[in-house]
Amino acid sequence: MAGRFTAKRVAAHDLPPIEEPSPSALEGVSWTVFPEAPAEPAAPAQQSSNPLLSDKLLDAKVRLHRRLIEEINLSALEKLPEEEIRNHVQQLVSQYVLVERLALNAQELAEFVSEILDEMTGLGPLEPLLKDPSISDILINGHECVYVERGGILEPLAVRFKDENHLLRIINKIVSAVGRRVDESHPMCDARLLDGSRVNVAVRPIGVDGPLVSIRKFSKKPFNLSKLVEIDALRPQMAELLAAAVKSRITTIISGGTGSGKTTMLNALSAFISEKERLLTIEDAAELQLQQPHVGRMETRPPNVEGKGEIRQRELVKNALRMRPDRIILGECRGEEAFDMLQAMNTGHEGSMATIHANTPRDAVSRMEQMIGMAGLPMTVSSIRGQIAGAIQLIVQLQRQSDGKRKVTSIAEITGMEGDIIQMQEIFKYVRTGTAPDGTVQGHFQATGVRPRFLAHLVNQGINIPGAMFDPSKPL
């Protein structure tokens, strides 16, 4: 195999750093050289000191990947154990590195082999980021600009793709795995990875400077309420009330902004649903991680090439009502399906849950009104509000603070109608008191002194919540 490679030899000192490629060093060498990348906040010393980040290594990796694809039977390779695949690829890569005279030590060679394996069987440069448990979000702004979120803070990484086509190939691998596509005629797409992580893609002409990709990762172990209490997203008394509400089939809406932790909270609360109940989940991209044994999962479908075959959330909600669910879990309520969801909550599916984008519990109710209006039904404002007040009992508001931490900022109960106004009372809230010099948000949780009206319902279900929990004079 070694005789097939015809690249010219390159000495170790000919590998220029990314920041200042040397034209003289590249003269006469058959490598593809990129133009100078725009300056990024990442540490230049780190980029230049790692030979695996050089343009030559990046180009070599992609070219070697193409050659291996041509010469290896991938379908037969996938049947082999992972260790055998790695050994086989390592032999081929070692021969290639010798022929190309790439200056790599043993550790760098092992990393190079891992990257080749990621290109062949995974998602290329994204694989190390997906395996890193400290990363919660991956944000790609074109093939040369990658950011990640760690601990609620965004930071740039020196991860790069060879070119736009390299990034597009990985994007297509992601979306095709769930039966979707993205191209110039359909430049936007919602998809998911095998582990349930949410992916959103926008390519040209929508993405002006190249493909935009955002990946919302989910931890291998879903957060439970105890973990949320541990990280101070809420207090034990608040968690106890929410757990009791879910057990006793109190219909709950989880409200918050983008990245505030709505899906995480929904997953955590679902752990308190009885295993004897049948659950149906409806989502745009399946990402919920329910732990019950009896769960039916449904996912919307975009239109095909001819613009036909689209299945929206509203059709799925209607269909779910015919599938004998005990509860319906709507991943995100964002349109006219809100009407069908309220109908389900009002007709024997108490305890159903959904998430909604809103800044406060009152805003969540207003958004529900607007979404029901999108259904185009001849309903008065009073009747719409009556539907909401009769269906929803509890709203849990989450917010992402300026320091990146997520908090349950309000737990509010809908108590009914007074005239044309939906009545609501806040049970617990988070009070922000200031900001520390290091940017950390300061504040505390407190009870408002109001006891929820559904306490009597909890008692009937055999759940006793001590009244002292709602005393505002006692710290949470």
Side-chain angles (χ1 to χ4, degrees):
M1 176 177 170
R4 300 190 184 186
F5 299 119
T6 58
K8 296 184 179 182
R9 296 184 175 182
V10 182
H13 62 268
D14 286 333
L15 288 174
I18 293 175
E19 293 78 12
E20 299 179 1
S22 169
S24 60
L26 299 174
E27 188 175 355
V29 180
S30 57
W31 297 98
T32 300
V33 182
F34 296 105
E36 184 175 351
E40 297 181 2
Q46 181 183 359
Q47 294 187 25
S48 60
S49 64
N50 186 352
L52 293 176
L53 294 178
S54 71
D55 289 326
K56 294 184 178 182
L57 263 296
L58 199 60
D59 186 50
K61 181 177 65 176
V62 175
R63 290 195 294 114
L64 177 56
H65 171 242
R66 289 175 183 163
R67 187 177 292 275
L68 291 176
I69 292 294
E70 294 173 1
E71 299 186 3
I72 293 179
N73 184 346
L74 282 182
S75 58
L77 196 65
E78 289 174 354
K79 298 176 183 177
L80 295 175
E82 184 177 347
E83 193 60 34
E84 287 189 32
I85 297 176
R86 185 177 186 87
N87 291 337
H88 187 61
V89 172
Q90 185 160 7
Q91 292 176 7
L92 298 177
V93 172
S94 298
Q95 294 179 26
Y96 178 84
V97 167
L98 287 173
V99 171
E100 294 281 348
R101 291 298 180 104
L102 301 178
L104 300 179
N105 59 32
Q107 180 182 350
E108 291 162 354
L109 177 61
E111 292 177 8
F112 193 45
V113 171
S114 296
E115 291 184 7
I116 293 295
L117 284 171
D118 289 341
E119 288 286 344
M120 294 177 65
T121 61
L123 300 177
L126 294 181
E127 283 294 328
L129 308 184
L130 294 171
K131 294 173 183 175
D132 188 342
S134 67
I135 294 175
S136 58
D137 283 85
I138 303 171
L139 307 171
I140 303 170
N141 307 323
H143 67 279
E144 291 185 322
C145 181
V146 178
Y147 281 77
V148 298
E149 179 183 298
R150 282 192 176 97
I153 305 298
L154 289 175
E155 60 181 71
L157 285 189
V159 173
R160 298 172 60 210
F161 298 85
K162 177 180 181 292
D163 51 27
E164 192 168 313
N165 288 332
H166 182 201
L167 176 55
L168 283 172
R169 182 172 59 80
I170 290 172
I171 289 172
N172 283 314
K173 185 183 290 189
I174 293 172
V175 300
S176 62
V178 290
R180 305 196 175 191
R181 66 191 184 92
V182 59
D183 52 35
E184 192 171 316
S185 60
H186 290 82
M188 294 184 294
C189 180
D190 275 320
R192 57 182 165 81
L193 302 179
L194 294 178
D195 64 356
S197 297
R198 182 195 307 170
V199 181
N200 181 269
V201 176
V203 300
R204 295 180 190 272
I206 301 299
V208 177
D209 300 318
L212 300 173
V213 183
S214 63
I215 301 176
R216 173 71 51 81
K217 286 176 57 183
F218 289 101
S219 57
K220 303 300 180 184
K221 287 187 176 181
F223 276 63
N224 53 32
L225 270 186
S226 299
K227 180 67 174 177
L228 292 176
V229 170
E230 185 181 321
I231 64 174
D232 203 33
L234 74 168
R235 303 307 299 150
Q237 296 89 331
M238 302 164 70
E240 184 179 349
L241 180 67
L242 292 178
V246 173
K247 285 179 185 176
S248 58
R249 300 176 67 91
I250 299 295
T251 301
T252 303
I253 295 293
I254 299 172
S255 167
T258 300
S260 59
K262 299 186 299 297
T263 303
T264 299
M265 177 60 72
L266 186 55
N267 279 325
L269 293 180
S270 69
F272 297 94
I273 299 175
S274 170
E275 294 188 352
K276 297 178 181 178
E277 297 184 34
R278 170 174 167 79
L279 309 181
L280 289 177
T281 68
I282 298 170
E283 303 170 81
D284 270 338
E287 56 184 332
L288 291 174
Q289 301 168 301
L290 305 188
Q291 308 303 309
Q292 284 70 20
H294 198 167
V295 178
R297 305 171 72 201
M298 291 190 288
E299 188 176 57
T300 60
R301 188 178 73 182
N304 59 19
V305 181
E306 299 172 350
K308 300 178 181 178
E310 180 182 14
I311 298 178
R312 300 176 301 168
Q313 280 192 339
R314 188 172 187 186
E315 282 83 33
L316 292 180
V317 173
K318 288 180 179 178
N319 191 71
L321 298 177
R322 305 185 183 102
M323 300 175 71
R324 198 243 169 255
D326 288 307
R327 306 194 199 204
I328 297 174
I329 312 295
L330 193 61
E332 184 175 335
C333 194
R334 65 177 71 175
E336 65 269 20
E337 69 273 2
F339 174 75
D340 301 282
M341 188 66 190
L342 288 182
Q343 292 292 303
M345 293 173 174
N346 270 321
T347 53
H349 299 89
E350 298 91 351
S352 295
M353 293 190 286
T355 68
I356 187 171
H357 280 266
N359 294 328
T360 66
R362 180 62 67 180
D363 287 344
V365 172
S366 298
R367 284 216 63 211
M368 291 287 287
E369 291 181 34
Q370 295 166 5
M371 289 188 289
I372 293 171
M374 293 169 65
L377 300 172
M379 297 178 64
T380 64
V381 173
S382 179
S383 62
I384 291 176
R385 291 175 178 174
Q387 287 276 343
I388 295 173
I392 300 170
Q393 294 172 272
L394 199 62
I395 298 178
V396 181
Q397 181 69 39
L398 293 107
Q399 189 178 71
R400 176 176 168 173
Q401 305 295 309
S402 57
D403 60 359
K405 295 180 180 178
R406 281 83 170 174
K407 303 283 186 184
V408 175
T409 56
S410 177
I411 298 177
E413 179 189 23
I414 293 179
T415 57
M417 295 279 291
E418 186 173 313
D420 286 342
I421 306 300
I422 296 176
Q423 296 301 301
M424 184 184 299
Q425 60 184 17
E426 193 171 46
I427 302 167
F428 293 105
K429 63 181 179 179
Y430 177 76
V431 180
R432 179 170 177 170
T433 56
T435 305
D438 62 354
T440 303
V441 172
Q442 297 174 327
H444 61 272
F445 297 95
Q446 72 177 45
T448 61
V450 176
R451 294 191 182 192
R453 292 192 181 183
F454 60 78
L455 281 184
H457 175 73
L458 298 185
V459 172
N460 292 336
Q461 298 287 327
I463 302 173
N464 291 306
I465 300 291
M469 180 189 296
F470 308 103
D471 186 347
S473 63
K474 295 182 178 180
L476 295 181

